[in-house]
Amino acid sequence: MTAKIRNLVLVLGDQLTLSMSSLQDADPGRDRVLMCEVAEEATYVRHHKKKITLIFSAMRHFADELRDRGFGVRYVKLDDDGNSNSFTGEVKRAIDELKPQAVVVTEPGEWRVRQAMDRWSDDFDIPVEIRDDTRFLCSRDDFRKWAGDRRALTMEFFYREMRRRTGLLMDGDKPCGGRWNFDAENRKPAAPDLFRPAHPTFPPDAMTRSVMDLVEARFPDHMGSADGFTFAVRREDCERAADDFIANFLPGFGETQDAMLKDDPFLNHSLLSFYLNLGLLDAMALCRAAERAYLEGHAPLNAVEGFIRQIIGWREYVRGVYWLFMPDYVDSNFFEAERPLPAFFWTGKTDMACLAQVIGETIENAYAHHIQRLMITGNFALLAGLDPHALHEWYLEVYADAFEWVELPNVIGMSQFADGGLLGTKPYAASGAYISRMSDYCKGCRYDVRAKTGEGACPFNALYWDFLDRNADKLSANRRLAQPYATWRRMGEEKKETYRQSARAFLERLDAGLPV
Ligand code: FAD
Ligand code: DLZ
Ligand code: SF4
């Protein structure tokens, strides 16, 4: 007779570390791990093929890591007979077949999945224990306490707390270098740098190749291609990618953080968000390694501080915001924007060179860096009044690092200001001048970035003023927008009307599905 299984430990596709709270007291002799590839997760939005490949392959490699540690793993592949294709269905099947005494799982990163899990205690006749996700440096409760009844949830103050709490870049109780934030030094455009090393790539092994075939066969109409997949899928490789970033790219991270170049989609960015979000890298260990690079004189403070801020500041902060404001947050629509996403969001086929470039890279790589997401696609969506919920689903689909807890606040809050300013103090709206200053996209664009209105003028220019004009009731009292509104007010009525007309003509073409 085989021994009775104590716990069925469910490990989700973005929980790929032995330090998950669900696995912390797991006993290979008494417990059984369940991992499952389910169509429901792959299709509730149509995730990019490279994203699904990354997740399934990383899951399969992690299952091997667990087996190497002696764990019994019930791993359900997408095409296995009997796969019910949902988490609930797979947990039920495993309970029926293995008869464990209890289910243990770490809370998921999405409200949708949490809702399903909360029903499991009623659905199944054994106890279901849902544990906190202790990978984050600030727990949901701690964030709620920090938010308290503050009037504004200013990220910068949260970040300072996190610096104090972690001791990162601290000199006693003072920030290293005498300032908390060196962002002012990180807003430079970039010139092509032929000597910048290439980011590491990880050719697929046999396990990944079979996932690539599966994904192509099962999800033919999802964005992109599994071909050309070069993400790391094993923990050792993710750690190599992190070491490579610290050695080769961190020193220049600050300077080029906001820059965009046609021939350099990655610049000095780390390309580590995927691995952090899947559990293949530890956020604190990564920040400590970056701090060491500063202390040893290998990387300047503006770069290291900027990098650490993204992780212990923004990354932790958006997770706190997500859980604090869900479920209502997902339906936020401060500007009541309703325009559907244009078809070129899925093809990249537009004459606007900046959008064609960023969407093209997204289709190719399932990646775009922060400023591309914020100031090209996000900025365009904001100015053109695209439906924020549809935009949120697009971002969730197309980026390999997109999980709702991090994607949603970035889209709804930071990029679209659809939450009315819970997360940001002003919308990230910019005309073509910003894009021209920070990138080389405008050279060779069919549109002229210096022309303000009329056929042939950069559409961002008229859309920018039209956005401010049509939302004046909601924005004109915002002190951070005092300057542009003062400029708008000073403009002659005739000029204003030309801007409005230009924007209207562009939006009419967009609505009619004509080429833009
Ligand atoms: P780097 O530029 O090297 O930054 C280092 C790390 O800091 C990242 O790996 C990431 O973990 C963290 N980080 C940086 N900025 C943010 C931020 N604003 N919020 C949270 N973490 C941050 N990030 C995601 O991980 N998933 C998403 O789905 C996602 N969607 C976004 C949508 C929009 C509209 C915007 C504006 C930003 C979004 N971000 C998202 C944040 C950021 O763009 C990505 O984390 C970053 O581009 C990932 O690339 P990287 O690893 O090269 O980052
Ligand atoms: C995103 C994703 C996809 C595409 N597929 C799976 C899957 O088949 N099995 C799985 O365990 N997880 C998958 N995930 C990640 C889950 O959607 C993720 O755990 C939730 O979004 C909660 O964060
Ligand atoms: Fe984009 Fe306008 Fe520059 Fe063209 S001219 S690349 S549309 S900002």
Side-chain angles (χ1 to χ4, degrees):
M1 213 181 87
T2 49
K4 225 170 153 25
I5 292 172
R6 182 182 62 167
N7 292 331
L8 178 72
V9 182
L10 173 65
V11 173
L12 303 181
D14 55 355
Q15 301 185 339
L16 307 181
T17 167
L18 279 158
S19 64
M20 281 324 291
S21 56
S22 56
L23 286 167
Q24 228 131 61
D25 56 352
D27 177 349
R30 295 198 288 165
D31 302 323
R32 184 72 57 87
V33 175
L34 169 65
M35 298 180 72
C36 42
E37 298 169 7
V38 291
E40 186 170 281
E41 292 307 302
T43 56
Y44 75 95
V45 294
R46 294 192 304 170
H47 299 289
H48 195 295
K49 287 181 196 160
K50 285 199 172 74
K51 176 180 186 181
I52 304 179
T53 305
L54 170 67
I55 294 170
F56 285 6
S57 180
M59 285 172 69
R60 290 184 188 192
H61 283 85
F62 184 60
D64 277 355
E65 200 181 322
L66 288 169
R67 288 187 190 107
D68 288 346
R69 301 279 179 136
F71 281 101
V73 182
R74 177 185 165 101
Y75 191 97
V76 184
K77 291 186 177 165
L78 191 72
D79 276 351
D80 281 355
D81 284 346
N83 187 343
S84 62
N85 281 308
S86 74
F87 286 143
T88 303
E90 283 316 287
V91 174
K92 178 163 178 7
R93 248 175 19 109
I95 294 174
D96 290 347
E97 288 171 30
L98 303 173
K99 314 239 175 300
Q101 291 166 5
V103 174
V104 172
V105 63
T106 295
E107 61 180 339
E110 302 198 1
W111 181 270
R112 174 186 62 83
V113 183
R114 177 72 204 219
Q115 292 292 94
M117 269 184 195
D118 283 340
R119 288 191 292 269
W120 289 353
S121 290
D122 294 333
D123 291 350
F124 310 134
D125 54 8
I126 54 173
V128 177
E129 186 188 347
I130 304 176
R131 295 182 180 169
D132 289 352
D133 191 340
T134 50
R135 282 176 296 176
F136 291 90
L137 305 168
C138 178
S139 71
R140 287 167 52 184
D141 275 352
D142 282 356
F143 189 84
R144 190 169 294 112
K145 277 186 212 131
W146 174 80
D149 39 22
R150 276 165 202 266
R151 228 161 29 92
L153 301 183
T154 309
M155 199 306 279
E156 185 62 27
F157 297 134
F158 171 78
Y159 166 58
R160 291 178 192 178
E161 288 270 329
M162 294 302 287
R163 286 274 294 278
R164 287 194 192 95
R165 192 197 285 198
T166 58
L168 282 162
L169 296 180
M170 293 298 291
D171 197 353
D173 60 354
K174 299 269 179 329
C176 284
R179 269 155 58 198
W180 292 101
N181 184 316
F182 290 80
D183 233 8
E185 289 158 45
N186 293 349
R187 295 197 184 112
K188 300 199 177 99
D193 178 356
L194 298 175
F195 300 104
R196 200 187 326 278
H199 284 267
T201 53
F202 301 87
D205 61 8
M207 193 183 269
T208 302
R209 282 198 304 275
S210 79
V211 173
M212 289 161 68
D213 292 342
L214 172 77
V215 167
E216 286 292 354
R218 283 291 300 270
F219 308 108
D221 53 352
H222 288 215
M223 183 182 270
S225 165
D227 271 355
F229 179 90
T230 54
F231 288 110
V233 290
R234 300 180 318 141
R235 188 174 318 283
E236 307 88 271
D237 288 339
C238 297
E239 282 162 4
R240 260 184 54 212
D243 290 346
D244 187 272
F245 165 71
I246 304 268
N248 292 317
F249 300 98
L250 179 62
F253 178 83
E255 282 212 339
T256 54
Q257 206 180 339
D258 284 6
M260 297 171 278
L261 285 180
K262 256 191 258 183
D263 293 327
D264 196 344
F266 310 127
L267 291 151
N268 288 307
H269 291 278
S270 67
L271 316 190
L272 296 176
S273 50
F274 335 102
Y275 313 137
L276 284 165
N277 296 350
L278 291 182
L280 291 169
L281 282 180
D282 177 69
M284 193 59 193
L286 182 61
C287 290
R288 285 270 174 244
E291 179 186 49
R292 229 172 7 255
Y294 163 66
L295 295 174
E296 289 169 2
H298 170 65
L301 186 54
N302 67 306
V304 175
E305 186 282 312
F307 181 71
I308 286 178
R309 173 158 28 89
Q310 305 312 315
I311 296 182
I312 67 167
W314 280 112
R315 187 169 184 271
E316 295 286 329
Y317 172 83
V318 296
R319 175 176 183 261
V321 165
Y322 177 78
W323 287 108
L324 195 59
F325 294 114
M326 279 299 278
D328 298 343
Y329 201 68
V330 72
D331 293 318
S332 312
N333 193 351
F334 182 62
F335 296 120
E336 299 168 68
E338 286 179 347
R339 181 162 280 113
L341 265 55
F344 67 71
F345 267 66
W346 282 271
T347 63
K349 290 200 174 103
T350 163
D351 285 344
M352 290 178 279
C354 50
L355 282 158
Q357 183 70 30
V358 172
I359 295 170
E361 286 175 20
T362 300
I363 296 169
E364 180 72 22
N365 304 322
Y367 175 85
H369 65 69
H370 186 69
I371 290 300
Q372 294 177 309
R373 297 186 205 196
L374 186 65
M375 299 311 294
I376 305 295
T377 38
N379 182 28
F380 177 80
L382 177 72
L383 300 185
L386 304 190
D387 172 3
H389 193 272
L391 188 75
H392 139 63
E393 292 195 331
W394 181 83
Y395 275 97
L396 194 53
E397 250 180 66
V398 305
Y399 292 115
D401 58 19
F403 297 90
E404 202 176 83
W405 64 267
V406 52
E407 171 274 333
L408 189 75
N410 270 299
V411 174
I412 291 287
M414 186 185 302
S415 154
Q416 298 302 294
F417 205 76
D419 60 7
L422 281 175
L423 190 145
T425 47
K426 75 173 176 97
Y428 281 96
S431 68
Y434 173 88
I435 297 170
S436 172
R437 187 166 67 251
M438 298 309 295
S439 79
D440 60 358
Y441 297 157
C442 301
K443 290 181 201 125
C445 179
R446 174 171 91 71
Y447 296 105
D448 179 355
V449 73
R450 282 156 311 173
K452 304 289 182 215
T453 54
E455 224 292 313
C458 169
F460 282 84
N461 293 338
L463 287 176
Y464 172 76
W465 289 114
D466 187 59
F467 166 78
L468 289 181
D469 182 36
R470 69 176 190 268
N471 293 302
D473 57 332
K474 294 185 164 121
L475 295 176
S476 59
N478 184 321
R479 274 188 295 145
R480 297 201 58 204
L481 293 172
Q483 203 186 349
Y485 273 110
T487 308
W488 177 249
R489 274 191 294 271
R490 277 197 304 271
M491 244 180 241
E493 194 48 43
E494 203 178 321
K495 195 165 174 194
K496 283 182 180 169
E497 199 43 39
T498 330
Y499 274 123
R500 289 189 192 109
Q501 266 172 23
S502 265
R504 205 174 311 128
F506 175 84
L507 293 172
E508 276 168 13
R509 284 188 72 79
L510 199 67
D511 291 343
L514 294 168
V516 287

